[in-house]
Structure formats: structure tokens, C-alpha cells
């Protein structure tokens, strides 16, 4: 597409917006770092810049329904870096929304506000739906300090009120794809554009997180921050993935028994995260093998034989409410007590950061902090790789009452010395679900002839050389591990 001509009118508009009398507002002449701006991990996003960064066209791909997700229609956003420049509707006809970069925004849902928070844009928030489930203290403090209207709380039954957003001066409303249709309907009589964020439909952790760059593109002065923030996360994640996947993979399953309740039609059953989910990708990247059956349909319960077969393969179990499940005496549930992950004590939940109202940060900041989630997974599967890391989103569940003989424990062989006889004794070394190295057994040499002795001596020399080489290799690995371990310390990441 040819660049739009820079008309005198547009020059005047931008110049006026830059005057000091504009109460601190400003108009960028082009998007920050637009030449370096591209979506790489987010499979649903594509951006093209025109007019030397004067405006951008963002295409959001259609996601068809597959019986589990509702699907998402394709959308097109035209975003101007200065004002809603005249003629853009003619240049890019049929866009879903024509948007000017905003300095005042309203936001719906914790997953969207996490994207805003990650690029330090909470100060632009003039309306929010509810802090009850919110984990970010930055968001909570901002809402309380500036008496930000909570549309969902103050106006029950209506998650978005057009008069409130107009009164607050919101220039842009950002919501998720679940609330997209309702929010657009609620603002149909206003000029406030609505951007819908379907990042939950991405199937990779980095794909979900990269949507912060779209938020940065939409907000004044936040484009560069969004690029820098995501670049750091992506580089870190890729390095940690390479490190973690060099280990022998551990089998893992995430799921639980859903007890009958109103939301599931008062029917219970076994369910689990599906193979194509972003969390399964996390486990693979963190050194795991996700063992959900490939034929499993996520919108239905897995049959009992299939559940037993799957959990029997898992060395680690990420549950939603393990203790309730383990306490059940129902025959369809009680068998879980004998599964390897339970016997080995390898049971975890994503419940380390739950606020008093039940809001779980795993469903908020974790979407924009995939590097921290990956550290948790590495710590769970191979704790020796991250000795300094403390679990952030995950917590280990005490299932000692159900522990027993762990099938992943490895026998360790020791050989006490004696002047006349050699006795080999075998003990059991618990690896708590980790793979132990094969034990070395030594035997005494008695009654050997000279030729055999020489042969053994030669073999011993070879073994010494091999041992030295192996020692150097492990030293190099240890140094690498220490380097990565230092790099993967929790430190200063944003929650």
C-alpha cells in the first residue's frame, strides 16, 4: 500500500497537539521504534506501518470454533500515532475500529489489566471493572488512591457503563474476547473504540505474553517499553528452555476430578489441560512430557479407564484441589491415591498467590510473566537446576499421608571392603521423582594371573582418562548450571 500523503492539515493538527497549552498531552509524529516493531510469537497478530510510522494497521486472525473454544472473528484495527487522521477510513476501509493512541483508558478483566500493568501503564487507567479478584497491588493502589470507578461493583449486572466512561474521559476501552460483544454493545452510542484481546487463544506462553506489545502500540509513550519488556522475557525464556530440555524429560499431568456442582450440571468427572494448551507447552519447555491422551476432548470429561491410564504415566501431578480429591472415598476417585505422583510426593498446585477473595495471580500476571512460570516448572521437575529459586505461582502440596513406595526411586549399590571377601549390599535411594545416575559397583581382584592383571591395569588407565574427561565435562556443566542458575534468580520481575 502506498504511503498516505502528509497534508498541510495533518501537519498543523500534530503541531497544535504539541503546544504546551495542551495540558501535558502530546502527539507523537510516529510510533516508537516502529521500524523494529513486529509480532513474532503471537500467531494471531500482524502489524503493518504506513506513513513512516504515522499509522499502523493491526490484523487479528480469525480463530475457528473447535468445540472447546468459542472461536473469534477476524478484526482489523487502524491506529494513528497522532490523531484520527482524516482519510484513514478511505485508505483502510472496513476496519473494526479507528483508534488514536490513548492517554486515558478503561479496562475489563484481570488478564487485560495485567498487560497494562506489565508495561507500566496503570497510571492511564480511569475506569476498571472490579479489584475484588485483582492481585496486582499497583492496580489496587491506583484505584483506591484516585477513586477509580469500578463499573462492575458500582453498577451490578452491567459490567460496562457508557456514561461512566464518558464522564471519566476514557479514550479507549480494552477488554477480553469473552466480553467483547457485550462491551461493544454497551458503548454503541459513544465514540469510544473497543479493542478486544483474545490472547487466551494463543497456544504458546510467549504468544500470550506478546500481546503486551499491542497494548503498548495503543497507548501514548508505551510502545518502546512494551518492546523492551517482551524482548527481555523472550530471550530469558528461550535460554531457560534450552537449558531445561537438555535434561531427561519428566512425565507430568495437569488436571483433577471435578466434583458435581451447578456449573458442570451437577455431574462430576476427570478433566485435564489439553495437549495443545499453552500450559502443556510450558511443561514441555520446562523439561517435561505432557501425558494427556491425544484423543482427549477438552470440553468433556475423560472416561475413567483413560484417566487411570494417563495418571499412571505421570511422575508429577499439577492439581487444582489435590487434598479434596485424595480425601474422596468415591471409587471413581479414590484410585488416585495409588498413582505414582502421589506415592512419590510430587503433587503441586498453582495456588501460591491467591488473594483473600479467591483471585488467583496465576490467571493474571502469569500470562505476562511466562519466564517466571517456566522457572517454577523447572524447579518442580529438576530442582537442582534452580537451587536459588523459590516457587512463585506454584506450591507443593503435602501428601505425606498417602506417600509410599515411589516407582521412580532408584536402587543404589555400595560395596564395603574386606580383607578376605567382598560383599555387595543394596540400599534404596529416594530420588523424589528425579532420575538418579547408575551406581558404580566395584569388585575385588583375587587370584588373577599376570596377563589379566596387566590387562586390568591398562583398562584402569583408560578408565582414569575417561573419568578425568567426564569430570571436566561435569565441571563445565556445573559452571554452566551455576551461570544459568544465577541468571534465573527471581530478582526483579514484575508480579
Amino acid at each position: 500500500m502506498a504511503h498516505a500523503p502528509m497534508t498541510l492539515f495533518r501537519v498543523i493538527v500534530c503541531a497544535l497537539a504539541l503546544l504546551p497549552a495542551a495540558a501535558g498531552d502530546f502527539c507523537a509524529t510516529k510510533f516508537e521504534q516502529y521500524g523494529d516493531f513486529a509480532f513474532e510469537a503471537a500467531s494471531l497478530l500482524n502489524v503493518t506501518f504506513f506513513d513512516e510510522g504515522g499509522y499502523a494497521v493491526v490484523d487479528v486472525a480469525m480463530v475457528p470454533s473447535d468445540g472447546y473454544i468459542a472461536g473469534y472473528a477476524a478484526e482489523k484495527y487502524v491506529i494513528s500515532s497522532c490523531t484520527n487522521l482524516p482519510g484513514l477510513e478511505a485508505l483502510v476501509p472496513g476496519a473494526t475500529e479507528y483508534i488514536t493512541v490513548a492517554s486515558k483508558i478503561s479496562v475489563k478483566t484481570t488478564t487485560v489489566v495485567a498487560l497494562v500493568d506489565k508495561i507500566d501503564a496503570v497510571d492511564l487507567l480511569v475506569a476498571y471493572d472490579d479489584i475484588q479478584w485483582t492481585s496486582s497491588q499497583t492496580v489496587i493502589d491506583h484505584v483506591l488512591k484516585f477513586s477509580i470507578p469500578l463499573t462492575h461493583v458500582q453498577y451490578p449486572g452491567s459490567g460496562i457503563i457508557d456514561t461512566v466512561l464518558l464522564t471519566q474521559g476514557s479514550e479507549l476501552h480494552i477488554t477480553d474476547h469473552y466480553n467483547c460483544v457485550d462491551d461493544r454493545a454497551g458503548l454503541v452510542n459513544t465514540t469510544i473504540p473497543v479493542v478486544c484481546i483474545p490472547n487466551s487463544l494463543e497456544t504458546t506462553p510467549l504468544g500470550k505474553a506478546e500481546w503486551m506489545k499491542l497494548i503498548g502500540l495503543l497507548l501514548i509513550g508505551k510502545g518502546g517499553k512494551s518492546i523492551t519488556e517482551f524482548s527481555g522475557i523472550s530471550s530469558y525464556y528461550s535460554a531457560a528452555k534450552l537449558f531445561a530440555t537438555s535434561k531427561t524429560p519428566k512425565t507430568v499431568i495437569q488436571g483433577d476430578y471435578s466434583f458435581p456442582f451447578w456449573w458442570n450440571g451437577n455431574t462430576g468427572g476427570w478433566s485435564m489441560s489439553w495437549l495443545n494448551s499453552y500450559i502443556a507447552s510450558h511443561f514441555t519447555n520446562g523439561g517435561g512430557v505432557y501425558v494427556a491422551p491425544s484423543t482427549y476432548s477438552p470440553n468433556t470429561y475423560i472416561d475413567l479407564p483413560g484417566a487411570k491410564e494417563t495418571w499412571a504415566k505421570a511422575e508429577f501431578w499439577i492439581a487444582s484441589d489435590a487434598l479434596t480429591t485424595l480425601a474422596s472415598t468415591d471409587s471413581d476417585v479414590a484410585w488416585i491415591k495409588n498413582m505414582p505422583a502421589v506415592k512419590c510426593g510430587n503433587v503441586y498446585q498453582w495456588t501460591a498467590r491467591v488473594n483473600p477473595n479467591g483471585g488467583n495471580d496465576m490467571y493474571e500476571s502469569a500470562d505476562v510473566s511466562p519466564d517466571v512460570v517456566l522457572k517454577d516448572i523447572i524447579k518442580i521437575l529438576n530442582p537442582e537446576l534452580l537451587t536459588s529459586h523459590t516457587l512463585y505461582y506454584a506450591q507443593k502440596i503435602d501428601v505425606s499421608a498417602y506417600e509410599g513406595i515411589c516407582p521412580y526411586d532408584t536402587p543404589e549399590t555400595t560395596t564395603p571392603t574386606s580383607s578376605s571377601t567382598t560383599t555387595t549390599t543394596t540400599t534404596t535411594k529416594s530420588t523424589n521423582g528425579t532420575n538418579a545416575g547408575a551406581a558404580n559397583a566395584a569388585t575385588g581382584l583375587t587370584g588373577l594371573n599376570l596377563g589379566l592383571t596387566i590387562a586390568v591395569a591398562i583398562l584402569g588407565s583408560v578408565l582414569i582418562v575417561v573419568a578425568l574427561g567426564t569430570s571436566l565435562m561435569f565441571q563445565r556443566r556445573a559452571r554452566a548450571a551455576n551461570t544459568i542458575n544465577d541468571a534465573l534468580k527471581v530478582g526483579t520481575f514484575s508480579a
Side-chain angles (χ1 to χ4, degrees), residues 304-325:
L304 191 57
K308 289 182 177 180
E309 178 184 359
T310 301
W311 258 265
K313 299 175 183 176
E315 189 176 349
F316 292 82
W317 173 27
I318 314 298
S320 56
D321 189 357
L323 295 182
T324 299
T325 302

Side-chain angles (χ1 to χ4, degrees), residues 3-231:
H3 292 323
M6 178 58 76
T7 65
L8 177 62
F9 175 79
R10 290 166 61 188
V11 171
I12 294 173
V13 168
C14 285
L16 289 174
L18 285 168
L19 293 177
D25 292 337
F26 68 95
C27 176
T29 57
K30 63 181 180 180
F31 284 108
E32 293 181 89
Q33 301 179 27
Y34 77 93
D36 301 321
F37 203 109
F39 295 107
E40 300 171 356
S43 62
L44 303 179
L45 283 173
N46 184 63
V47 61
T48 306
F49 290 92
F50 298 93
D51 196 17
E52 297 182 347
Y55 69 94
V57 176
V58 176
D59 290 293
V60 182
M62 179 192 72
V63 178
S65 173
D66 66 356
Y68 173 60
I69 57 174
Y72 186 79
E75 296 202 326
K76 184 186 295 291
Y77 301 115
V78 178
I79 310 168
S80 169
S81 66
C82 182
T83 64
N84 201 348
L85 297 174
L88 286 184
E89 290 86 348
L91 287 172
V92 191
T96 309
E97 299 280 6
Y98 297 88
I99 304 162
T100 303
V101 287
S103 61
K104 296 180 180 180
I105 60 172
S106 52
V107 170
K108 185 76 162 285
T109 80
T110 57
T111 55
V112 175
V113 85
L115 294 164
V116 174
D117 190 12
K118 194 67 174 179
I119 61 171
D120 299 336
V122 171
D123 59 312
L124 306 185
L125 193 66
V126 297
Y128 186 44
D129 63 339
D130 191 358
I131 59 172
Q132 180 179 3
W133 312 107
T134 302
S135 297
S136 169
Q137 196 59 48
T138 301
V139 174
I140 294 171
D141 290 346
H142 176 77
V143 167
L144 296 178
K145 180 178 180 179
F146 296 101
S147 300
I148 301 299
L150 300 174
T151 56
H152 185 68
V153 175
Q154 296 170 349
Y155 304 90
S158 179
I160 178 170
I161 303 296
D162 53 2
T163 54
V164 174
L165 301 192
L166 287 170
T167 301
Q168 289 297 112
S170 177
E171 301 163 354
L172 174 66
H173 181 69
I174 312 174
T175 185
D176 64 5
H177 74 288
Y178 296 108
N179 294 284
C180 187
V181 173
D182 290 342
D183 286 8
R184 281 206 173 113
L187 289 174
V188 69
N189 294 320
T190 76
T191 58
I192 301 174
V194 177
V195 171
C196 303
I197 307 295
N199 67 329
S200 63
L201 302 182
E202 296 281 353
T203 58
T204 66
L206 288 177
K208 292 184 75 172
E210 195 176 22
W211 282 73
M212 71 177 70
K213 288 164 61 175
L214 175 59
I215 303 298
L217 200 63
L218 291 163
L219 307 181
I220 284 181
K222 299 300 180 181
K225 171 65 176 177
S226 68
I227 294 173
T228 303
E229 190 71 32
F230 180 75
S231 177

Side-chain angles (χ1 to χ4, degrees), residues 349-408:
Q349 294 177 182
W350 298 113
T351 48
R353 295 178 57 79
V354 178
N355 71 21
N357 298 314
N360 191 335
D361 201 21
M362 181 62 184
Y363 308 114
E364 186 177 326
S365 72
D367 280 0
V368 293
S369 303
D371 49 336
V372 184
V373 177
L374 188 65
K375 281 189 284 190
D376 273 9
I377 291 172
I378 294 172
K379 181 72 172 183
I380 290 170
L381 300 182
N382 291 292
E384 73 281 2
L385 298 183
L386 280 179
T387 55
S388 62
H389 177 61
T390 300
L391 293 177
Y392 190 77
Y393 295 106
Q395 64 178 152
K396 188 169 186 176
I397 304 303
D398 182 5
V399 294
S400 56
Y402 307 97
E403 289 182 32
I405 298 175
C406 176
Y408 294 96

